[in-house]
PDB file of all heavy atoms in Angstrom:
ATOM      1  N   ARG A  36       7.771   8.554 -54.116  1.00  0.00           N
ATOM      2  CA  ARG A  36       7.273   9.878 -54.538  1.00  0.00           C
ATOM      3  C   ARG A  36       8.336  10.938 -54.287  1.00  0.00           C
ATOM      4  O   ARG A  36       8.838  11.081 -53.164  1.00  0.00           O
ATOM      5  CB  ARG A  36       6.004  10.229 -53.762  1.00  0.00           C
ATOM      6  CG  ARG A  36       4.875   9.191 -53.911  1.00  0.00           C
ATOM      7  CD  ARG A  36       4.418   9.064 -55.364  1.00  0.00           C
ATOM      8  NE  ARG A  36       3.427   8.022 -55.537  1.00  0.00           N
ATOM      9  CZ  ARG A  36       2.124   8.212 -55.444  1.00  0.00           C
ATOM     10  NH1 ARG A  36       1.649   9.419 -55.179  1.00  0.00           N
ATOM     11  NH2 ARG A  36       1.293   7.210 -55.622  1.00  0.00           N
ATOM     12  N   THR A  37       8.675  11.688 -55.310  1.00  0.00           N
ATOM     13  CA  THR A  37       9.719  12.712 -55.190  1.00  0.00           C
ATOM     14  C   THR A  37       9.184  14.130 -55.308  1.00  0.00           C
ATOM     15  O   THR A  37       9.936  15.095 -55.151  1.00  0.00           O
ATOM     16  CB  THR A  37      10.793  12.499 -56.273  1.00  0.00           C
ATOM     17  OG1 THR A  37      10.169  12.529 -57.561  1.00  0.00           O
ATOM     18  CG2 THR A  37      11.498  11.165 -56.076  1.00  0.00           C
ATOM     19  N   SER A  38       7.891  14.261 -55.581  1.00  0.00           N
ATOM     20  CA  SER A  38       7.316  15.600 -55.685  1.00  0.00           C
ATOM     21  C   SER A  38       7.197  16.208 -54.294  1.00  0.00           C
ATOM     22  O   SER A  38       7.226  15.507 -53.271  1.00  0.00           O
ATOM     23  CB  SER A  38       5.927  15.540 -56.338  1.00  0.00           C
ATOM     24  OG  SER A  38       5.020  14.835 -55.497  1.00  0.00           O
ATOM     25  N   ALA A  39       7.066  17.546 -54.258  1.00  0.00           N
ATOM     26  CA  ALA A  39       6.946  18.243 -52.969  1.00  0.00           C
ATOM     27  C   ALA A  39       5.731  17.745 -52.202  1.00  0.00           C
ATOM     28  O   ALA A  39       5.787  17.521 -50.984  1.00  0.00           O
ATOM     29  CB  ALA A  39       6.853  19.750 -53.206  1.00  0.00           C
ATOM     30  N   PHE A  40       4.631  17.566 -52.914  1.00  0.00           N
ATOM     31  CA  PHE A  40       3.416  17.089 -52.260  1.00  0.00           C
ATOM     32  C   PHE A  40       3.604  15.672 -51.723  1.00  0.00           C
ATOM     33  O   PHE A  40       3.196  15.343 -50.610  1.00  0.00           O
ATOM     34  CB  PHE A  40       2.238  17.122 -53.233  1.00  0.00           C
ATOM     35  CG  PHE A  40       0.974  16.528 -52.656  1.00  0.00           C
ATOM     36  CD1 PHE A  40       0.185  17.266 -51.786  1.00  0.00           C
ATOM     37  CD2 PHE A  40       0.608  15.225 -52.980  1.00  0.00           C
ATOM     38  CE1 PHE A  40      -0.960  16.709 -51.240  1.00  0.00           C
ATOM     39  CE2 PHE A  40      -0.537  14.673 -52.450  1.00  0.00           C
ATOM     40  CZ  PHE A  40      -1.331  15.412 -51.573  1.00  0.00           C
ATOM     41  N   GLY A  41       4.256  14.813 -52.532  1.00  0.00           N
ATOM     42  CA  GLY A  41       4.474  13.429 -52.130  1.00  0.00           C
ATOM     43  C   GLY A  41       5.353  13.331 -50.895  1.00  0.00           C
ATOM     44  O   GLY A  41       5.087  12.555 -49.980  1.00  0.00           O
ATOM     45  N   ILE A  42       6.446  14.147 -50.887  1.00  0.00           N
ATOM     46  CA  ILE A  42       7.355  14.139 -49.737  1.00  0.00           C
ATOM     47  C   ILE A  42       6.639  14.660 -48.494  1.00  0.00           C
ATOM     48  O   ILE A  42       6.760  14.101 -47.400  1.00  0.00           O
ATOM     49  CB  ILE A  42       8.607  14.982 -50.039  1.00  0.00           C
ATOM     50  CG1 ILE A  42       9.422  14.320 -51.160  1.00  0.00           C
ATOM     51  CG2 ILE A  42       9.451  15.151 -48.790  1.00  0.00           C
ATOM     52  CD1 ILE A  42      10.590  15.153 -51.648  1.00  0.00           C
ATOM     53  N   ALA A  43       5.873  15.767 -48.654  1.00  0.00           N
ATOM     54  CA  ALA A  43       5.153  16.347 -47.518  1.00  0.00           C
ATOM     55  C   ALA A  43       4.129  15.364 -46.954  1.00  0.00           C
ATOM     56  O   ALA A  43       3.979  15.211 -45.735  1.00  0.00           O
ATOM     57  CB  ALA A  43       4.463  17.640 -47.947  1.00  0.00           C
ATOM     58  N   PHE A  44       3.423  14.674 -47.853  1.00  0.00           N
ATOM     59  CA  PHE A  44       2.415  13.708 -47.411  1.00  0.00           C
ATOM     60  C   PHE A  44       3.073  12.538 -46.671  1.00  0.00           C
ATOM     61  O   PHE A  44       2.568  12.078 -45.650  1.00  0.00           O
ATOM     62  CB  PHE A  44       1.623  13.179 -48.614  1.00  0.00           C
ATOM     63  CG  PHE A  44       0.550  12.194 -48.222  1.00  0.00           C
ATOM     64  CD1 PHE A  44      -0.688  12.645 -47.791  1.00  0.00           C
ATOM     65  CD2 PHE A  44       0.794  10.830 -48.273  1.00  0.00           C
ATOM     66  CE1 PHE A  44      -1.668  11.735 -47.422  1.00  0.00           C
ATOM     67  CE2 PHE A  44      -0.184   9.919 -47.918  1.00  0.00           C
ATOM     68  CZ  PHE A  44      -1.416  10.380 -47.483  1.00  0.00           C
ATOM     69  N   THR A  45       4.214  12.083 -47.189  1.00  0.00           N
ATOM     70  CA  THR A  45       4.922  10.964 -46.568  1.00  0.00           C
ATOM     71  C   THR A  45       5.383  11.332 -45.159  1.00  0.00           C
ATOM     72  O   THR A  45       5.214  10.558 -44.205  1.00  0.00           O
ATOM     73  CB  THR A  45       6.143  10.559 -47.410  1.00  0.00           C
ATOM     74  OG1 THR A  45       5.695  10.179 -48.724  1.00  0.00           O
ATOM     75  CG2 THR A  45       6.881   9.397 -46.770  1.00  0.00           C
ATOM     76  N   ILE A  46       5.977  12.540 -45.010  1.00  0.00           N
ATOM     77  CA  ILE A  46       6.442  12.984 -43.694  1.00  0.00           C
ATOM     78  C   ILE A  46       5.261  13.124 -42.728  1.00  0.00           C
ATOM     79  O   ILE A  46       5.326  12.704 -41.569  1.00  0.00           O
ATOM     80  CB  ILE A  46       7.199  14.322 -43.823  1.00  0.00           C
ATOM     81  CG1 ILE A  46       8.497  14.124 -44.613  1.00  0.00           C
ATOM     82  CG2 ILE A  46       7.501  14.899 -42.440  1.00  0.00           C
ATOM     83  CD1 ILE A  46       9.247  15.403 -44.915  1.00  0.00           C
ATOM     84  N   THR A  47       4.172  13.719 -43.240  1.00  0.00           N
ATOM     85  CA  THR A  47       2.981  13.898 -42.398  1.00  0.00           C
ATOM     86  C   THR A  47       2.429  12.550 -41.959  1.00  0.00           C
ATOM     87  O   THR A  47       2.031  12.368 -40.798  1.00  0.00           O
ATOM     88  CB  THR A  47       1.896  14.667 -43.165  1.00  0.00           C
ATOM     89  OG1 THR A  47       2.420  15.936 -43.567  1.00  0.00           O
ATOM     90  CG2 THR A  47       0.662  14.872 -42.301  1.00  0.00           C
ATOM     91  N   TRP A  48       2.408  11.605 -42.873  1.00  0.00           N
ATOM     92  CA  TRP A  48       1.886  10.268 -42.555  1.00  0.00           C
ATOM     93  C   TRP A  48       2.732   9.574 -41.485  1.00  0.00           C
ATOM     94  O   TRP A  48       2.206   8.987 -40.536  1.00  0.00           O
ATOM     95  CB  TRP A  48       1.851   9.416 -43.822  1.00  0.00           C
ATOM     96  CG  TRP A  48       1.463   7.992 -43.556  1.00  0.00           C
ATOM     97  CD1 TRP A  48       2.282   6.912 -43.504  1.00  0.00           C
ATOM     98  CD2 TRP A  48       0.145   7.504 -43.277  1.00  0.00           C
ATOM     99  NE1 TRP A  48       1.576   5.783 -43.213  1.00  0.00           N
ATOM    100  CE2 TRP A  48       0.258   6.112 -43.070  1.00  0.00           C
ATOM    101  CE3 TRP A  48      -1.103   8.112 -43.190  1.00  0.00           C
ATOM    102  CZ2 TRP A  48      -0.841   5.307 -42.772  1.00  0.00           C
ATOM    103  CZ3 TRP A  48      -2.204   7.310 -42.899  1.00  0.00           C
ATOM    104  CH2 TRP A  48      -2.065   5.932 -42.685  1.00  0.00           C
ATOM    105  N   VAL A  49       4.057   9.668 -41.624  1.00  0.00           N
ATOM    106  CA  VAL A  49       4.955   9.041 -40.644  1.00  0.00           C
ATOM    107  C   VAL A  49       4.773   9.684 -39.270  1.00  0.00           C
ATOM    108  O   VAL A  49       4.697   8.996 -38.247  1.00  0.00           O
ATOM    109  CB  VAL A  49       6.418   9.156 -41.112  1.00  0.00           C
ATOM    110  CG1 VAL A  49       7.369   8.693 -40.012  1.00  0.00           C
ATOM    111  CG2 VAL A  49       6.639   8.331 -42.378  1.00  0.00           C
ATOM    112  N   LEU A  50       4.691  11.029 -39.224  1.00  0.00           N
ATOM    113  CA  LEU A  50       4.497  11.724 -37.955  1.00  0.00           C
ATOM    114  C   LEU A  50       3.149  11.353 -37.323  1.00  0.00           C
ATOM    115  O   LEU A  50       3.044  11.175 -36.103  1.00  0.00           O
ATOM    116  CB  LEU A  50       4.580  13.236 -38.162  1.00  0.00           C
ATOM    117  CG  LEU A  50       5.972  13.795 -38.486  1.00  0.00           C
ATOM    118  CD1 LEU A  50       5.879  15.300 -38.768  1.00  0.00           C
ATOM    119  CD2 LEU A  50       6.926  13.543 -37.322  1.00  0.00           C
ATOM    120  N   ALA A  51       2.120  11.223 -38.164  1.00  0.00           N
ATOM    121  CA  ALA A  51       0.796  10.840 -37.660  1.00  0.00           C
ATOM    122  C   ALA A  51       0.838   9.444 -37.061  1.00  0.00           C
ATOM    123  O   ALA A  51       0.207   9.185 -36.025  1.00  0.00           O
ATOM    124  CB  ALA A  51      -0.230  10.899 -38.792  1.00  0.00           C
ATOM    125  N   ASN A  52       1.604   8.546 -37.684  1.00  0.00           N
ATOM    126  CA  ASN A  52       1.780   7.192 -37.152  1.00  0.00           C
ATOM    127  C   ASN A  52       2.409   7.230 -35.766  1.00  0.00           C
ATOM    128  O   ASN A  52       1.961   6.569 -34.827  1.00  0.00           O
ATOM    129  CB  ASN A  52       2.671   6.366 -38.086  1.00  0.00           C
ATOM    130  CG  ASN A  52       1.911   5.755 -39.257  1.00  0.00           C
ATOM    131  OD1 ASN A  52       2.076   4.605 -39.591  1.00  0.00           O
ATOM    132  ND2 ASN A  52       1.053   6.535 -39.886  1.00  0.00           N
ATOM    133  N   ILE A  53       3.475   8.024 -35.659  1.00  0.00           N
ATOM    134  CA  ILE A  53       4.199   8.124 -34.387  1.00  0.00           C
ATOM    135  C   ILE A  53       3.305   8.701 -33.301  1.00  0.00           C
ATOM    136  O   ILE A  53       3.244   8.183 -32.174  1.00  0.00           O
ATOM    137  CB  ILE A  53       5.471   8.986 -34.563  1.00  0.00           C
ATOM    138  CG1 ILE A  53       6.453   8.280 -35.515  1.00  0.00           C
ATOM    139  CG2 ILE A  53       6.127   9.248 -33.216  1.00  0.00           C
ATOM    140  CD1 ILE A  53       7.654   9.127 -35.886  1.00  0.00           C
ATOM    141  N   LEU A  54       2.589   9.788 -33.627  1.00  0.00           N
ATOM    142  CA  LEU A  54       1.712  10.425 -32.644  1.00  0.00           C
ATOM    143  C   LEU A  54       0.584   9.494 -32.209  1.00  0.00           C
ATOM    144  O   LEU A  54       0.222   9.442 -31.020  1.00  0.00           O
ATOM    145  CB  LEU A  54       1.135  11.722 -33.222  1.00  0.00           C
ATOM    146  CG  LEU A  54       2.132  12.867 -33.407  1.00  0.00           C
ATOM    147  CD1 LEU A  54       1.466  14.051 -34.116  1.00  0.00           C
ATOM    148  CD2 LEU A  54       2.694  13.315 -32.057  1.00  0.00           C
ATOM    149  N   ALA A  55       0.018   8.765 -33.158  1.00  0.00           N
ATOM    150  CA  ALA A  55      -1.074   7.845 -32.840  1.00  0.00           C
ATOM    151  C   ALA A  55      -0.600   6.746 -31.892  1.00  0.00           C
ATOM    152  O   ALA A  55      -1.285   6.403 -30.921  1.00  0.00           O
ATOM    153  CB  ALA A  55      -1.637   7.233 -34.115  1.00  0.00           C
ATOM    154  N   LEU A  56       0.585   6.211 -32.149  1.00  0.00           N
ATOM    155  CA  LEU A  56       1.118   5.150 -31.289  1.00  0.00           C
ATOM    156  C   LEU A  56       1.508   5.679 -29.916  1.00  0.00           C
ATOM    157  O   LEU A  56       1.308   5.009 -28.896  1.00  0.00           O
ATOM    158  CB  LEU A  56       2.318   4.486 -31.966  1.00  0.00           C
ATOM    159  CG  LEU A  56       1.994   3.662 -33.224  1.00  0.00           C
ATOM    160  CD1 LEU A  56       3.272   3.138 -33.859  1.00  0.00           C
ATOM    161  CD2 LEU A  56       1.064   2.497 -32.874  1.00  0.00           C
ATOM    162  N   LEU A  57       2.067   6.899 -29.875  1.00  0.00           N
ATOM    163  CA  LEU A  57       2.416   7.505 -28.584  1.00  0.00           C
ATOM    164  C   LEU A  57       1.165   7.765 -27.750  1.00  0.00           C
ATOM    165  O   LEU A  57       1.142   7.502 -26.539  1.00  0.00           O
ATOM    166  CB  LEU A  57       3.186   8.815 -28.807  1.00  0.00           C
ATOM    167  CG  LEU A  57       4.628   8.683 -29.298  1.00  0.00           C
ATOM    168  CD1 LEU A  57       5.217  10.063 -29.579  1.00  0.00           C
ATOM    169  CD2 LEU A  57       5.482   7.954 -28.249  1.00  0.00           C
TER     170      LEU A  57
END
Side-chain angles (χ1 to χ4, degrees):
R36 303 298 176 90
T37 57
S38 65
F40 175 79
I42 294 173
F44 181 83
T45 301
I46 294 174
T47 301
W48 174 257
V49 172
L50 290 176
N52 277 225
I53 295 173
L54 290 174
L56 292 176
L57 287 175

